[in-house]
Amino acid sequence: MRDIELFNDHFQNFKVYGIPKAQLIIADVPYNLGNNAYASNPKWYKDGDNKNGESELAGKQFFDTDKDFRPAEFMHFCSKMLVKEPKEAGKSPCMIIFCAFDQMMYFIELGQRYGFQNYIPLVFRKNYSPQVLKANMKIVGNCEYGVLLYRDKLPKFNNDGRMVFNCMDFPRDSKTPKIHPTQKSVPLLEKLIRLFTDPGDVVIDPCAGSGTTLLAARKCGRKAYGFEIKKDFYADAINLLETYAPPMSLFDVVELDRRRVKGKIQNKQDNLFSDES
Protein backbone atom coordinates (compact mmCIF):
# COMPACT_ATOMS: atom_id res chain seq x y z
CA MET A 1 0.00 0.00 0.00
CA ARG A 2 1.47 3.34 -1.07
CA ASP A 3 1.19 6.39 1.18
CA ILE A 4 -0.97 8.22 -1.37
CA GLU A 5 -3.73 6.51 -3.37
CA LEU A 6 -6.76 7.68 -5.33
CA PHE A 7 -9.42 5.09 -6.22
CA ASN A 8 -11.96 5.34 -9.02
CA ASP A 9 -14.69 3.93 -6.80
CA HIS A 10 -17.40 4.82 -4.31
CA PHE A 11 -16.28 5.56 -0.74
CA GLN A 12 -18.59 2.86 0.62
CA ASN A 13 -16.19 0.28 -0.84
CA PHE A 14 -13.24 1.53 1.23
CA LYS A 15 -12.76 -1.80 3.05
CA VAL A 16 -11.95 -3.54 -0.24
CA TYR A 17 -8.69 -1.58 -0.50
CA GLY A 18 -7.38 -2.24 2.99
CA ILE A 19 -6.49 1.38 3.61
CA PRO A 20 -5.62 2.50 7.14
CA LYS A 21 -8.16 4.49 9.11
CA ALA A 22 -7.92 8.26 9.15
CA GLN A 23 -6.89 10.81 11.73
CA LEU A 24 -8.64 13.41 9.59
CA ILE A 25 -11.38 13.18 6.97
CA ILE A 26 -11.84 16.17 4.67
CA ALA A 27 -14.77 16.16 2.27
CA ASP A 28 -16.36 18.71 -0.04
CA VAL A 29 -19.80 17.15 -0.28
CA PRO A 30 -22.19 17.71 -3.22
CA TYR A 31 -24.26 20.83 -2.65
CA ASN A 32 -27.17 19.57 -4.78
CA LEU A 33 -27.43 22.90 -6.57
CA GLY A 34 -29.09 21.35 -9.60
CA ASN A 35 -29.46 23.63 -12.61
CA ASN A 36 -28.31 26.62 -10.57
CA ALA A 37 -24.82 25.20 -10.09
CA TYR A 38 -23.14 27.88 -12.21
CA ALA A 39 -25.18 30.74 -10.73
CA SER A 40 -22.17 31.80 -8.66
CA ASN A 41 -19.62 30.99 -11.32
CA PRO A 42 -18.31 33.27 -14.09
CA LYS A 43 -18.64 30.38 -16.56
CA TRP A 44 -22.39 31.11 -16.70
CA TYR A 45 -21.37 33.78 -19.24
CA LYS A 46 -19.21 33.50 -22.34
CA ASP A 47 -15.59 34.11 -21.36
CA GLY A 48 -16.83 34.94 -17.85
CA ASP A 49 -18.21 38.33 -18.91
CA ASN A 50 -21.94 39.02 -18.63
CA LYS A 51 -21.65 41.46 -21.56
CA ASN A 52 -21.06 38.46 -23.83
CA GLY A 53 -24.31 36.72 -22.95
CA GLU A 54 -24.89 33.29 -21.47
CA SER A 55 -22.60 30.37 -22.22
CA GLU A 56 -23.58 26.76 -22.91
CA LEU A 57 -23.20 26.10 -19.17
CA ALA A 58 -25.99 28.48 -18.15
CA GLY A 59 -28.76 26.55 -16.43
CA LYS A 60 -26.69 23.37 -16.21
CA GLN A 61 -25.71 21.29 -13.20
CA PHE A 62 -22.12 20.52 -12.17
CA PHE A 63 -22.46 16.78 -11.82
CA ASP A 64 -25.05 14.22 -12.87
CA THR A 65 -24.22 12.22 -9.73
CA ASP A 66 -25.28 14.90 -7.21
CA LYS A 67 -28.81 13.57 -7.05
CA ASP A 68 -27.47 10.16 -5.97
CA PHE A 69 -25.53 11.48 -2.98
CA ARG A 70 -27.03 10.27 0.30
CA PRO A 71 -25.74 12.32 3.26
CA ALA A 72 -26.77 9.80 5.94
CA GLU A 73 -24.98 6.97 4.13
CA PHE A 74 -21.96 9.23 3.70
CA MET A 75 -21.86 10.04 7.42
CA HIS A 76 -22.20 6.37 8.35
CA PHE A 77 -19.19 5.35 6.27
CA CYS A 78 -17.10 8.31 7.40
CA SER A 79 -17.64 7.26 11.01
CA LYS A 80 -16.20 3.86 10.06
CA MET A 81 -13.19 5.36 8.27
CA LEU A 82 -11.92 7.37 11.26
CA VAL A 83 -9.62 5.89 13.90
CA LYS A 84 -11.18 5.07 17.23
CA GLU A 85 -11.30 7.65 20.00
CA PRO A 86 -8.05 7.16 21.98
CA LYS A 87 -7.87 7.22 25.78
CA GLU A 88 -5.26 9.94 25.90
CA ALA A 89 -6.16 13.60 25.35
CA GLY A 90 -4.91 15.55 22.35
CA LYS A 91 -4.92 12.58 19.99
CA SER A 92 -8.54 12.37 18.81
CA PRO A 93 -9.56 12.36 15.14
CA CYS A 94 -12.04 14.67 13.46
CA MET A 95 -13.84 15.34 10.21
CA ILE A 96 -14.16 18.56 8.20
CA ILE A 97 -17.05 18.92 5.77
CA PHE A 98 -17.24 21.78 3.29
CA CYS A 99 -20.91 22.45 2.63
CA ALA A 100 -23.45 25.11 1.75
CA PHE A 101 -24.52 27.45 4.56
CA ASP A 102 -28.04 25.98 4.70
CA GLN A 103 -26.59 22.44 4.94
CA MET A 104 -24.58 23.09 8.10
CA MET A 105 -27.26 22.21 10.67
CA TYR A 106 -28.28 19.16 8.66
CA PHE A 107 -24.74 17.73 8.79
CA ILE A 108 -24.43 18.65 12.47
CA GLU A 109 -27.60 16.66 13.19
CA LEU A 110 -26.42 13.76 11.04
CA GLY A 111 -23.06 13.81 12.80
CA GLN A 112 -24.74 13.44 16.18
CA ARG A 113 -26.70 10.48 14.83
CA TYR A 114 -23.47 8.73 13.84
CA GLY A 115 -21.35 9.43 16.91
CA PHE A 116 -20.04 12.95 16.32
CA GLN A 117 -21.50 14.63 19.38
CA ASN A 118 -19.58 17.89 19.01
CA TYR A 119 -19.09 20.41 16.26
CA ILE A 120 -17.46 23.74 15.38
CA PRO A 121 -18.90 25.80 12.50
CA LEU A 122 -16.29 27.06 10.04
CA VAL A 123 -16.27 30.10 7.77
CA PHE A 124 -13.68 30.52 5.01
CA ARG A 125 -13.54 34.10 3.80
CA LYS A 126 -12.23 35.13 0.39
CA ASN A 127 -11.01 38.56 -0.65
CA TYR A 128 -13.08 38.24 -3.83
CA SER A 129 -16.53 37.07 -4.88
CA PRO A 130 -17.40 34.84 -7.84
CA GLN A 131 -21.09 35.76 -7.75
CA VAL A 132 -21.23 37.39 -11.16
CA LEU A 133 -24.99 36.93 -11.44
CA LYS A 134 -25.49 38.97 -8.30
CA ALA A 135 -23.17 41.81 -9.25
CA ASN A 136 -26.02 44.29 -8.92
CA MET A 137 -26.39 43.49 -5.21
CA LYS A 138 -24.82 45.69 -2.56
CA ILE A 139 -23.75 42.60 -0.59
CA VAL A 140 -22.34 39.57 -2.39
CA GLY A 141 -21.09 36.30 -1.00
CA ASN A 142 -17.36 35.94 -0.47
CA CYS A 143 -17.40 33.04 2.01
CA GLU A 144 -17.50 29.29 1.92
CA TYR A 145 -18.74 27.28 4.87
CA GLY A 146 -18.00 24.06 6.65
CA VAL A 147 -18.37 22.08 9.85
CA LEU A 148 -15.73 20.40 12.00
CA LEU A 149 -17.19 17.28 13.65
CA TYR A 150 -15.65 15.26 16.48
CA ARG A 151 -16.77 12.66 18.99
CA ASP A 152 -16.12 13.29 22.71
CA LYS A 153 -12.58 14.57 23.13
CA LEU A 154 -11.25 17.66 21.40
CA PRO A 155 -9.35 16.71 18.26
CA LYS A 156 -5.59 16.87 17.90
CA PHE A 157 -4.48 20.51 17.60
CA ASN A 158 -1.04 21.55 16.37
CA ASN A 159 -1.52 25.23 17.13
CA ASP A 160 1.59 25.69 19.34
CA GLY A 161 -0.52 27.30 22.06
CA ARG A 162 -1.96 29.93 19.72
CA MET A 163 -5.61 30.85 19.55
CA VAL A 164 -7.48 29.29 16.63
CA PHE A 165 -10.37 31.18 15.07
CA ASN A 166 -13.25 29.42 13.33
CA CYS A 167 -13.37 32.18 10.70
CA MET A 168 -10.26 31.99 8.55
CA ASP A 169 -8.92 33.27 5.26
CA PHE A 170 -9.40 31.24 2.09
CA PRO A 171 -6.03 31.80 0.37
CA ARG A 172 -6.00 31.91 -3.41
CA ASP A 173 -4.23 29.06 -5.15
CA SER A 174 -2.41 30.43 -8.17
CA LYS A 175 -0.09 27.44 -8.61
CA THR A 176 -2.42 24.44 -8.91
CA PRO A 177 -4.26 24.02 -12.24
CA LYS A 178 -8.04 24.14 -11.80
CA ILE A 179 -9.57 20.88 -13.02
CA HIS A 180 -12.79 20.81 -10.99
CA PRO A 181 -15.67 23.32 -10.58
CA THR A 182 -15.58 23.21 -6.77
CA GLN A 183 -11.83 22.70 -6.34
CA LYS A 184 -10.48 23.80 -2.97
CA SER A 185 -7.31 25.82 -2.42
CA VAL A 186 -4.25 23.66 -1.71
CA PRO A 187 -2.80 26.25 0.73
CA LEU A 188 -6.08 26.19 2.71
CA LEU A 189 -6.08 22.39 2.81
CA GLU A 190 -2.45 22.38 3.93
CA LYS A 191 -3.33 24.66 6.86
CA LEU A 192 -6.14 22.38 7.98
CA ILE A 193 -4.07 19.22 7.58
CA ARG A 194 -1.13 20.63 9.54
CA LEU A 195 -3.47 21.82 12.27
CA PHE A 196 -5.30 18.54 12.88
CA THR A 197 -2.68 15.89 12.04
CA ASP A 198 0.97 15.01 12.58
CA PRO A 199 3.45 13.93 9.89
CA GLY A 200 2.72 10.31 9.00
CA ASP A 201 -0.96 10.48 9.99
CA VAL A 202 -3.66 9.40 7.55
CA VAL A 203 -5.98 11.80 5.70
CA ILE A 204 -8.96 10.49 3.71
CA ASP A 205 -11.13 12.38 1.21
CA PRO A 206 -14.25 10.33 0.37
CA CYS A 207 -15.29 12.79 -2.40
CA ALA A 208 -11.86 13.55 -3.81
CA GLY A 209 -12.83 15.46 -6.97
CA SER A 210 -9.67 17.21 -8.17
CA GLY A 211 -7.44 15.37 -5.70
CA THR A 212 -6.21 18.58 -4.05
CA THR A 213 -6.75 17.15 -0.56
CA LEU A 214 -4.36 14.32 -1.41
CA LEU A 215 -1.92 16.77 -2.97
CA ALA A 216 -1.97 18.97 0.14
CA ALA A 217 -1.55 15.94 2.40
CA ARG A 218 1.45 14.77 0.41
CA LYS A 219 3.04 18.22 0.71
CA CYS A 220 2.55 17.98 4.47
CA GLY A 221 4.05 14.49 4.69
CA ARG A 222 0.80 12.73 5.56
CA LYS A 223 -0.56 9.52 4.09
CA ALA A 224 -3.57 10.25 1.92
CA TYR A 225 -6.35 8.20 0.31
CA GLY A 226 -9.30 9.33 -1.75
CA PHE A 227 -12.30 8.12 -3.72
CA GLU A 228 -13.72 9.65 -6.90
CA ILE A 229 -16.47 7.94 -8.90
CA LYS A 230 -16.36 10.20 -11.98
CA LYS A 231 -13.85 8.76 -14.45
CA ASP A 232 -12.96 12.09 -16.06
CA PHE A 233 -12.24 13.80 -12.75
CA TYR A 234 -10.38 10.73 -11.54
CA ALA A 235 -8.11 10.78 -14.62
CA ASP A 236 -7.44 14.51 -14.25
CA ALA A 237 -6.75 14.12 -10.53
CA ILE A 238 -4.29 11.28 -11.14
CA ASN A 239 -2.46 13.47 -13.66
CA LEU A 240 -2.42 16.36 -11.18
CA LEU A 241 -0.99 14.19 -8.42
CA GLU A 242 1.64 12.66 -10.68
CA THR A 243 2.70 16.13 -11.82
CA TYR A 244 2.56 18.16 -8.61
CA ALA A 245 2.84 15.75 -5.66
CA PRO A 246 6.41 16.12 -4.36
CA PRO A 247 8.54 13.01 -3.73
CA MET A 248 9.21 14.20 -0.16
CA SER A 249 10.27 11.73 2.49
CA LEU A 250 8.59 11.62 5.88
CA PHE A 251 11.91 12.55 7.49
CA ASP A 252 12.09 15.72 5.37
CA VAL A 253 8.59 16.78 6.43
CA VAL A 254 9.18 16.08 10.13
CA GLU A 255 12.32 18.19 9.98
CA LEU A 256 10.46 20.94 8.11
CA ASP A 257 7.72 21.02 10.76
CA ARG A 258 10.32 21.04 13.56
CA ARG A 259 12.15 24.01 12.05
CA ARG A 260 8.87 25.84 11.42
CA VAL A 261 7.87 25.52 15.10
CA LYS A 262 11.24 26.93 16.15
CA GLY A 263 10.66 29.94 13.94
CA LYS A 264 13.54 29.28 11.56
CA ILE A 265 11.20 29.28 8.58
CA GLN A 266 9.23 32.47 8.04
CA ASN A 267 6.60 31.87 5.41
CA LYS A 268 3.37 33.84 5.57
CA GLN A 269 1.49 31.06 3.77
CA ASP A 270 2.31 28.73 6.65
CA ASN A 271 0.66 30.93 9.29
CA LEU A 272 -2.52 29.25 10.47
CA PHE A 273 -4.64 32.37 10.40
CA SER A 274 -3.95 35.93 9.38
CA ASP A 275 -5.95 37.25 12.37
CA GLU A 276 -3.57 35.86 14.97
CA SER A 277 -1.90 38.30 17.29
Side-chain angles (χ1 to χ4, degrees):
M1 174 65 66
R2 296 190 300 172
D3 62 1
I4 179 170
E5 293 272 6
L6 179 61
F7 306 103
N8 184 204
D9 201 350
H10 197 281
F11 57 76
Q12 68 182 15
N13 297 323
F14 76 96
K15 287 187 177 180
V16 174
Y17 300 97
I19 63 176
K21 293 195 174 185
Q23 179 70 29
L24 172 66
I25 289 177
I26 298 183
D28 185 12
V29 299
Y31 291 12
N32 294 312
L33 297 174
N35 292 342
N36 291 320
Y38 287 92
S40 296
N41 192 301
K43 291 184 180 180
W44 185 284
Y45 295 111
K46 295 177 181 177
D47 299 324
D49 190 336
N50 58 7
K51 295 179 181 178
N52 298 331
E54 294 182 344
S55 72
E56 71 280 1
L57 297 177
K60 300 291 179 64
Q61 60 184 4
F62 279 152
F63 318 113
D64 57 9
T65 53
D66 277 11
K67 65 182 183 302
D68 299 322
F69 180 73
R70 296 177 176 83
E73 178 186 77
F74 165 79
M75 195 65 69
H76 165 74
F77 280 99
C78 284
S79 69
K80 302 296 183 184
M81 282 189 267
L82 274 182
V83 298
K84 291 182 178 179
E85 185 101 324
K87 292 182 179 179
E88 34 316 16
K91 300 290 185 180
S92 295
C94 65
M95 175 165 62
I96 296 173
I97 298 175
F98 290 93
C99 61
F101 176 79
D102 55 4
Q103 289 179 310
M104 293 174 72
M105 284 308 303
Y106 178 50
F107 279 105
I108 289 170
E109 292 169 359
L110 276 181
Q112 292 172 344
R113 191 187 307 174
Y114 290 97
F116 299 97
Q117 302 302 320
N118 300 284
Y119 68 91
I120 300 172
L122 300 173
V123 180
F124 305 97
R125 61 172 177 247
K126 301 176 179 178
N127 61 358
Y128 62 97
S129 175
Q131 294 191 352
V132 293
L133 296 187
K134 300 178 181 179
N136 61 328
M137 296 175 60
K138 296 300 181 182
I139 298 177
V140 295
N142 72 319
C143 293
E144 293 198 26
Y145 302 92
V147 179
L148 185 150
L149 302 171
Y150 61 100
R151 294 169 179 145
D152 296 318
K153 299 184 181 72
L154 279 170
K156 179 185 293 185
F157 280 111
N158 292 322
N159 59 331
D160 303 320
R162 291 176 287 179
M163 186 180 294
V164 178
F165 296 102
N166 73 323
C167 180
M168 63 196 77
D169 288 335
F170 190 113
R172 289 195 186 219
D173 186 351
S174 59
K175 296 182 179 180
T176 312
K178 184 157 186 179
I179 61 174
H180 195 280
T182 61
Q183 183 168 317
K184 293 296 177 284
S185 159
V186 170
L188 172 63
L189 294 168
E190 286 185 66
K191 289 179 183 180
L192 295 172
I193 290 168
R194 285 199 177 101
L195 179 60
F196 295 108
T197 65
D198 292 325
D201 280 347
V202 175
V203 178
I204 294 179
D205 187 342
C207 309
S210 63
T212 51
T213 297
L214 278 69
L215 176 58
R218 161 63 93 176
K219 288 186 173 184
C220 296
R222 278 62 168 170
K223 299 175 183 179
Y225 306 96
F227 298 86
E228 175 52 47
I229 59 175
K230 299 289 289 184
K231 291 183 178 180
D232 291 344
F233 287 134
Y234 168 78
D236 289 342
I238 287 293
N239 183 62
L240 181 76
L241 292 170
E242 290 178 346
T243 304
Y244 290 90
M248 186 181 291
S249 71
L250 178 59
F251 173 81
D252 292 334
V253 178
V254 171
E255 176 64 13
L256 187 66
D257 281 1
R258 185 187 67 81
R259 293 169 60 198
R260 181 179 294 109
V261 169
K262 287 190 172 183
K264 294 182 179 179
I265 296 179
Q266 299 297 325
N267 186 334
K268 290 183 179 179
Q269 287 188 340
D270 287 332
N271 291 335
L272 290 178
F273 305 102
S274 61
D275 290 336
E276 290 174 353
S277 58

